[in-house]
Amino acid sequence: MTLPGRTAETVSAPTGSPARAHLLHTGNLARYREALADGVDRVARRVATADRPFTGITPDALAPRVAGIDLDRPLGDAGAALDELEDVYLRDAVWFHHPRYLAHLNCPVVIPALLGEALLTAVNSSMDTWDQSAGATLVERHLIDWTATRIGFGADADGIFTSGGSQSNLQALLLAREEACLVAPAADARRDLLPRLRVLTSAVGHFSVQKSAKLLGLAPDAVVTVETDAQRRMVPAALRREITRLRAEGLVVMAVVATAGTTDFGSIDPLPELAAVTEAAGVWLHVDAAYGCGLLVSPTRRHLLDGVERADSVTVDYHKSFFQPVSSSALVVRDRRVLRHATYHADYLNPARMVEQRIPNQVDKSLQTTRRFDALKLWLTLRVMGPDAVGALFDEVVDRAAGAWELISEDPRFEVVTRSPLSTVVFRYLPTGRGRELADAANLYAREALAASGAALVAGTTVDGRHFLKFTLLNPETTLEDVGHVLELLAEHAGRYVRERTATDLACQVG
Ligand SMILES: *Cc1c(COP(=O)(O)O)cnc(C)c1O
């Protein structure tokens, strides 16, 4: 006798605890549809009416509103909770779709990816094992293979989706550390080796390299900085010299981290030349392309990543230059065998016999266990738009950044740093005459005053110890007029600051 499947017909209306009315199940599909449609509608209304990227609200003003909500007293329905959420979140959120959001590496997101997000959380697949994901595992693997092919890796490549570039970099360095430790399999030899391991990167490499070194139990001075040129790219001859110097001191270079798109300057380290150095020295080359990975699909600029195929591992952040919602990142390796360093077999989850049975358990390659099916967002993006369309969006913002660079370089009120091959522009307001000493303070002030007004958001950084401002352009909707307008606002804020400060200084001198 076969039992009937449990479907809407065979399951009666919800009984038992009223809480069950909130679970997604056959009896509650109307509620599911309504709640999600309401949420979508609220976001759409906010997007339609946001006239600034930010309201400029301060943490002090917002904190009491959030803290005042009694989490032990529920509102009972989604509509009421969303009304409340307008007050604590939606009204004062930072909107990345707004053309005057020019600050960090946050992108506006493509709609197919949002559709993917809605689906993946509702189905709630977990990527650790085949028996919690099924087709999702195959979709993720297909996307990793696709990315590896775009990188130029061969058939031995593999990889894994991660929560972000920091985690991808951490895993890359874990694999590199384990490869370096293969020469010292005995526990005491490994203990001797660990403090002697070194990681080389440039001064403008991402700080997650330092953090990873700490997490991996390396020495406090394990990350060694390699000289950069005027374009803020690692100098290959300097890398070769550093490797020789460290080895002469009895140290072991565990990995070189090249950056393909530095967070501040968008500079791309000279990958073919660096690969030649690491290949000759037999050192692991990791390419952090968290930012520059969008070039993999660029119809016009793919050549800027030439040489990436010679890396041992590559970090890609789809949530930066592929217009994907957070989180969506991957670590891709040239030789799948290195991923075994992330493998542990747990009897309850992924026993070793499953490998022999060829059951694909992604947890065998991941630092995470339960893991989101983020890959679905990229999948729907590629299936709806295709890679060229995504690359064209990235190309647009790179073009816009070139335009912005020219605009600023022609403006005598500002000083601009080296031109980025990607989409950042680092510059500062340069007061004239006596105000010149106030340059640092004026730029800090201008950035804060602009953010407080909410009219636009820009980032800041330091260049050779001085305070600079930074645009990160990731929104094709941002026009050069927007950029020009933001420059006017910055010049106004900074100029006012300098005038007021020099006036008070004068008054003090006179008094
Ligand atoms: C953003 C970034 C990272 C970190 O990525 P997250 O996704 O924020 O963790 C690493 N490297 C570079 C070059 C980046 O720009």
Side-chain angles (χ1 to χ4, degrees):
M1 184 189 110
T2 52
L3 292 169
R6 277 177 59 112
T7 64
E9 286 77 35
T10 57
V11 176
S12 51
T15 52
S17 95
R20 280 208 224 158
H22 297 284
L23 283 173
L24 174 63
H25 63 61
T26 44
N28 274 336
L29 298 176
R31 183 186 289 257
Y32 165 59
R33 288 197 174 98
E34 264 166 46
L36 263 79
D38 191 3
V40 169
D41 203 46
R42 307 261 180 163
V43 173
R45 258 182 281 152
R46 284 288 166 191
V47 168
T49 55
D51 61 345
R52 295 175 288 170
F54 185 42
T55 58
I57 193 150
T58 62
D60 283 346
L62 195 50
R65 270 195 247 154
V66 178
I69 287 172
D70 185 348
L71 295 175
D72 293 319
R73 295 170 62 96
L75 297 167
D77 83 23
L82 286 174
D83 285 343
E84 180 183 84
L85 197 68
E86 300 273 353
D87 207 35
V88 295
Y89 175 56
L90 289 174
R91 181 168 56 230
D92 298 293
V94 176
W95 294 103
F96 304 129
H97 74 277
H98 196 281
R100 291 186 187 159
Y101 179 86
L102 309 173
H104 301 290
L105 275 164
N106 311 96
C107 51
V109 289
V110 291
I111 293 168
L114 294 178
L115 177 61
E117 186 73 63
L119 294 178
L120 74 94
T121 54
V123 181
N124 203 26
S125 301
S126 179
M127 303 309 295
D128 36 348
T129 54
W130 166 258
D131 70 2
Q132 301 173 75
S133 61
T137 284
L138 304 178
V139 164
E140 173 169 304
R141 288 185 161 208
H142 200 40
L143 285 166
I144 290 287
D145 291 345
W146 175 83
T147 307
T149 303
R150 288 263 161 182
I151 288 170
F153 282 160
D156 291 335
D158 198 1
I160 191 81
F161 269 68
T162 71
S163 65
S166 303
Q167 207 205 9
S168 298
N169 286 347
L170 170 64
Q171 181 162 359
L173 290 173
L174 168 76
L175 303 179
R177 184 193 72 183
E178 292 308 299
E179 285 291 303
C181 285
L182 287 178
V183 297
D188 53 345
R190 187 183 163 100
R191 254 193 310 275
D192 289 343
L193 181 57
L194 275 178
R196 290 190 291 122
L197 295 177
R198 293 295 178 272
V199 177
L200 297 178
T201 192
S202 87
V204 283
H206 194 258
F207 74 93
S208 56
V209 175
Q210 310 275 348
K211 241 191 200 178
S212 301
K214 191 170 181 176
L215 284 164
L216 292 170
L218 306 185
D221 53 353
V223 180
V224 178
T225 299
V226 181
E227 186 189 322
T228 45
D229 62 16
Q231 316 295 312
R232 318 248 162 206
R233 296 172 305 192
M234 194 188 288
V235 177
L239 175 65
R240 194 180 312 113
R241 267 198 315 275
E242 279 302 307
I243 293 175
T244 309
R245 181 182 71 80
L246 293 167
R247 284 180 168 172
E249 290 177 24
L251 300 167
V252 175
V253 179
M254 174 191 116
V256 170
V257 179
T259 315
T262 59
T263 316
D264 274 349
F265 303 99
S267 49
I268 299 172
D269 287 337
L271 302 178
E273 290 82 359
L274 297 179
V277 174
T278 55
E279 283 162 10
V283 171
W284 183 290
L285 176 62
H286 175 63
V287 175
D288 177 358
Y291 176 14
C293 60
L295 296 173
L296 291 173
V297 285
S298 160
T300 63
R301 292 181 171 85
R302 170 62 183 80
H303 62 276
L304 293 176
L305 282 182
D306 283 355
V308 69
E309 72 286 352
R310 290 164 73 178
D312 293 283
S313 54
V314 180
T315 287
V316 292
D317 257 4
Y318 308 108
H319 63 213
K320 283 178 178 164
S321 46
F322 275 70
F323 304 93
Q324 298 294 295
V326 176
S327 58
S328 184
S329 177
L331 173 69
V332 186
V333 297
R334 184 168 43 163
D335 177 355
R336 64 177 70 241
R337 285 171 303 180
V338 299
L339 289 168
R340 75 186 182 285
H341 298 305
T343 309
Y344 283 86
H345 291 291
D347 292 340
Y348 83 91
L349 191 65
N350 59 332
R353 76 180 128 75
M354 285 189 172
V355 178
E356 279 135 50
Q357 294 166 346
R358 301 170 60 82
I359 295 170
N361 287 331
Q362 294 290 81
V363 71
D364 292 352
K365 313 173 195 176
S366 176
L367 299 186
Q368 290 167 269
T369 306
T370 305
R371 189 163 54 83
R372 290 164 54 86
F373 180 27
D374 284 317
L376 181 60
K377 297 179 287 192
L378 180 60
W379 178 271
L380 285 179
T381 301
L382 293 179
R383 297 313 296 142
V384 174
M385 297 171 60
D388 286 356
V390 176
L393 289 177
F394 191 51
D395 268 354
E396 262 194 80
V397 297
V398 175
D399 286 337
R400 199 81 73 255
W405 188 91
E406 263 158 39
L407 199 63
I408 304 172
S409 67
E410 285 159 9
D411 189 329
R413 296 170 298 178
F414 294 98
E415 173 193 27
V416 64
V417 180
T418 53
R419 197 171 166 150
S420 162
L422 298 181
S423 64
T424 63
V425 190
V426 179
F427 63 98
R428 64 173 173 164
Y429 177 80
L430 209 52
T432 50
R434 244 194 351 260
R436 199 151 262 233
E437 298 149 33
L438 296 172
D440 277 344
N443 282 284
L444 280 175
Y445 174 84
R447 181 187 171 202
E448 277 166 25
L450 186 66
S453 77
L457 291 177
V458 306
T461 189
T462 57
V463 180
D464 307 323
R466 316 305 313 220
H467 285 289
F468 276 68
L469 302 168
K470 178 173 78 164
F471 291 156
T472 308
L473 303 185
L474 277 180
N475 189 350
E477 294 283 311
T478 300
T479 61
L480 276 186
E481 285 74 58
D482 287 310
V483 172
H485 181 75
V486 173
L487 287 172
E488 286 311 316
L489 295 173
L490 286 167
E492 251 169 57
H493 288 301
R496 183 170 39 146
Y497 177 85
V498 171
R499 272 193 314 281
E500 284 171 9
R501 276 288 301 273
T502 40
T504 29
D505 290 355
L506 272 180
C508 291
Q509 281 162 23
V510 173

